Amino acid sequence: MTTTTSAAAAGTETLPEHVRVLVVGAGFAGLGMAIKLEEAGQADFLVVDKGDTVGGTWRDNTYPGAACDVPSQLYSFSFAPNPTWSRSFSPQPEIHAYLQDVAQRAGVLDRFRFGTTVQDAAWDTEDEVWTVVTSAGTVTADVLISGSGGLSEPKDPDIKGIDGFTGAIFHTARWDHDVDLTGKRVAVIGTGASAIQVIPEIAKTVAHLGVYQRTAPWVMPRHDRAYTGIERLGFRYLPGLQKIYRSAIYWGRETYVPGFTRVPKILSPAQTMALGNIRKGISDPELQEKVTPDFQIGCKRILISNTYYPALAQDNVEVITDGITEITPTGIVTRDARTNELRERDIDVLIVATGFFTTDQPIAHHIKGREGRTLGDVWAETGMTSYKGTTAAGFPNLFQIVGANTGLGHSSMVFMIESQIAYILSALQQMGERGIAAVEPTQAAQAAWNDDLQRRMKRTVWSTGGCASWYLDEHGRNTTLWPRTTFAFRGLLRSFDIEQYVVTTRSDAPTRTKEHVA
Ligand code: NAP
């Protein structure tokens, strides 16, 4: 393999000049893709990642209490069951260790380059390759696969004065473990999935915790437990047992789909259970009212916790629902909506739990297609759109894992990721067999796909439930979630539907012909 002169930042390995497939991101998506490429005999690939190990969001989110909301029997690769899960819902360190172990055992890490950030990727119409500029040099690739995910770039709140805060400040996804919170006055902005995990943990040691809540979330009980010794023995020695657990969890969760997508009333028992969770954890009626959501359950992501409400009821914790007007060098200023009165609370540490760039994925601004426009430019006009959440018109040989409308509120993203990996592998196989240089979906196929999605969105609880959420973009379109069953998604992506693509064939001669196969 030829090499460029610049060394990869993570080590002595240099980047090759060219690879058949370049994968961006080493989380579940990038790692799963690499393993399946290897299995399919497509060994000429490279995975680049800005971090220093595999794991993606499970490497980056190390905040206290971080754990998965989907049981790991399902939130794991179907091809790599893990008999050593300690609990039904795995904590972040176990999931990160699992991914590292899977990567080691698959023998693919020699093609991973860590500490390597993609700065720019542009489609070269002449040579029909992607030219990818990274922090460790430039590499060209026939095919570019983005596995960078929707939760890779933390979003800081745009609040007046935040840059002038002089105490410690960090995002939950970039936890500063050097800051000791013991005995400190701490503020957490946000009450989403990350916040409700972190709050009970830090409430144990801080002097005062201010929880700044803009919208109260629905929080259901978390049916989490340690696996018994017998279960763990069974997982190790009865290979079918984990499959049974996995299937039961999978089908149980799929029964939620009609509630989210067609008949939100079905979710009423869940709402009753969540109200019970509030009453169980909090006895003060005023606080109960403060944390009771004013929208239909399911409209935003349903959260699960047994410890969140009891933490809010602690004497050293204050739930603040007044809007934040400003952050000063030493505190947070809020305005009482009824009296208009301003109040400043002094703090030592500010933790922002304000989520991620989901509807405007940062990597899209670095990927330039056939006409020299970035995916971000295109999406600024159309909203985040794609064909089957995986390919995009105008962006030949670009495949995105966890692209537009592939997110889930009820089940495991790993299932969606594996569906997309199968689709991409099928595309690569057909391209190889037929001597195809480039594929991109037709505008018509992409438009039909998105029209169908948006038609289905109209009656979902995400659109009708009376909330504003990160599921929706600035135009109010839901460009993040999949509005059908996960098995429908898998069926639709089972094999690469080349008839929906514009195809450039590569003959033995250097000339290439464009043909529309449909
Ligand atoms: P999130 O769900 O987007 O929550 C962000 C929170 O910050 C919301 O409460 C939001 O309020 C608030 N917020 C945002 N900007 C604000 C501002 N300027 N002022 C005041 N409040 C503001 O983010 P997240 O909790 O990090 O979770 C993101 C996603 O990551 C989850 O939905 C899930 O997919 C995943 N996740 C999963 C787990 C798990 O499996 N356990 C854990 C963590 C994260 P509003 O509601 O009013 O917008």
Side-chain angles (χ1 to χ4, degrees), residues 7 10 46 59 97 122 134 175 179 183 195 244 252 255 280 334 359 368-369 405 475 484-485 500:
L46 193 72
R59 173 199 61 214
T134 78
W175 195 266
V179 176
I244 293 170
T255 60
K280 189 170 168 219
T334 54
T359 54
K368 284 198 196 90
N405 291 109
H475 312 294
R484 301 179 63 185
T485 58
Q500 304 295 345

Side-chain angles (χ1 to χ4, degrees), residues 69-90:
D69 280 354
V70 178
S72 287
Q73 299 292 356
L74 184 59
Y75 196 87
S76 49
F77 289 122
S78 61
F79 53 84
N82 175 17
T84 66
W85 296 124
S86 66
R87 320 183 56 79
S88 51
F89 291 88
S90 299

Side-chain angles (χ1 to χ4, degrees), residues 72-363:
S72 287
Q73 299 292 356
L74 184 59
Y75 196 87
S76 49
F77 289 122
S78 61
F79 53 84
N82 175 17
T84 66
W85 296 124
S86 66
R87 320 183 56 79
S88 51
F89 291 88
S90 299
Q92 172 268 336
E94 270 189 46
I95 301 173
H96 188 206
Y98 163 76
L99 289 170
Q100 288 176 295
D101 180 54
V102 169
Q104 281 288 353
R105 282 189 287 122
V108 289
L109 283 173
D110 57 329
R111 271 142 301 152
F112 281 57
R113 299 290 182 276
F114 293 107
T116 304
T117 306
V118 170
Q119 294 162 338
D120 189 49
W123 177 251
D124 180 336
T125 24
E126 189 99 342
D127 292 336
E128 291 183 308
V129 289
W130 284 97
T131 302
V132 184
V133 180
T134 78
S135 55
T138 298
V139 54
T140 59
D142 297 332
V143 169
L144 179 63
I145 300 176
S146 168
S148 61
L151 304 179
S152 64
E153 288 298 328
K155 194 174 190 174
D156 289 329
D158 184 14
I159 299 174
K160 186 177 155 200
I162 194 165
D163 293 335
F165 181 66
T166 52
I169 173 169
F170 49 88
H171 192 285
T172 41
R174 300 286 180 271
W175 195 266
D176 187 343
H177 291 276
D178 291 336
V179 176
D180 181 5
L181 299 179
T182 314
K184 300 266 170 59
R185 294 164 305 176
V186 179
V188 172
I189 299 181
T191 51
S194 304
I196 73 142
Q197 293 186 331
V198 102
I199 285 165
E201 290 305 311
I202 63 176
K204 292 174 189 164
T205 56
V206 302
H208 179 266
L209 179 60
V211 175
Y212 289 79
Q213 170 190 282
R214 190 165 67 177
T215 313
W218 282 110
V219 185
M220 303 253 295
R222 184 178 175 94
H223 302 294
D224 187 15
R225 65 181 180 86
Y227 283 129
T228 63
I230 292 190
E231 279 174 305
R232 293 173 72 169
L233 273 177
F235 294 152
R236 186 169 291 281
Y237 297 109
L238 301 171
L241 186 62
Q242 274 190 294
K243 277 203 179 128
I244 293 170
Y245 271 61
R246 188 180 170 94
S247 296
I249 296 163
Y250 174 79
W251 289 109
R253 287 186 169 244
E254 248 5 55
T255 60
Y256 282 93
V257 174
F260 285 107
T261 60
R262 284 160 188 263
V263 196
K265 263 195 182 150
I266 297 177
L267 298 174
S268 297
Q271 190 157 317
T272 306
M273 210 185 287
L275 285 169
N277 203 25
I278 295 175
R279 286 192 295 270
K280 189 170 168 219
I282 297 173
S283 51
D284 172 15
E286 204 180 314
L287 184 56
Q288 284 180 348
E289 196 187 323
K290 262 188 182 177
V291 302
T292 302
D294 59 3
F295 57 88
Q296 199 169 0
I297 197 166
C299 184
K300 279 172 183 270
R301 190 180 168 93
I302 301 174
L303 310 182
I304 52 171
S305 175
N306 301 331
T307 51
Y308 177 58
Y309 291 129
L312 296 187
Q314 281 180 212
D315 288 342
N316 63 337
V317 179
E318 181 185 8
V319 178
I320 300 141
T321 53
D322 292 338
I324 300 172
T325 57
E326 190 185 348
I327 292 173
T328 67
T330 53
I332 298 185
V333 181
T334 54
R335 183 189 300 277
D336 184 317
R338 278 170 305 169
T339 62
N340 240 0
E341 222 169 279
L342 295 176
R343 173 169 177 196
E344 178 169 0
R345 290 173 180 82
D346 285 338
I347 53 169
D348 306 308
V349 181
L350 175 54
I351 297 167
V352 288
T354 46
F356 299 84
F357 286 93
T358 49
T359 54
D360 180 23
Q361 295 187 3
I363 192 157

Side-chain angles (χ1 to χ4, degrees), residues 1-6 14-17:
M1 228 177 230
T2 50
T3 55
T4 58
T5 47
S6 50
T14 53
L15 295 185
E17 276 175 7

Side-chain angles (χ1 to χ4, degrees), residues 22-89:
L22 184 75
V23 182
V24 183
F28 264 104
L31 174 60
M33 191 74 241
I35 292 171
K36 289 292 159 183
L37 282 167
E38 181 82 350
E39 271 178 29
Q42 308 232 17
D44 185 11
F45 67 83
L46 193 72
V47 182
V48 292
D49 192 291
K50 61 182 175 352
D52 56 1
T53 63
V54 297
T57 198
W58 294 106
R59 173 199 61 214
D60 295 340
N61 282 268
T62 60
Y63 59 80
C68 192
D69 280 354
V70 178
S72 287
Q73 299 292 356
L74 184 59
Y75 196 87
S76 49
F77 289 122
S78 61
F79 53 84
N82 175 17
T84 66
W85 296 124
S86 66
R87 320 183 56 79
S88 51
F89 291 88

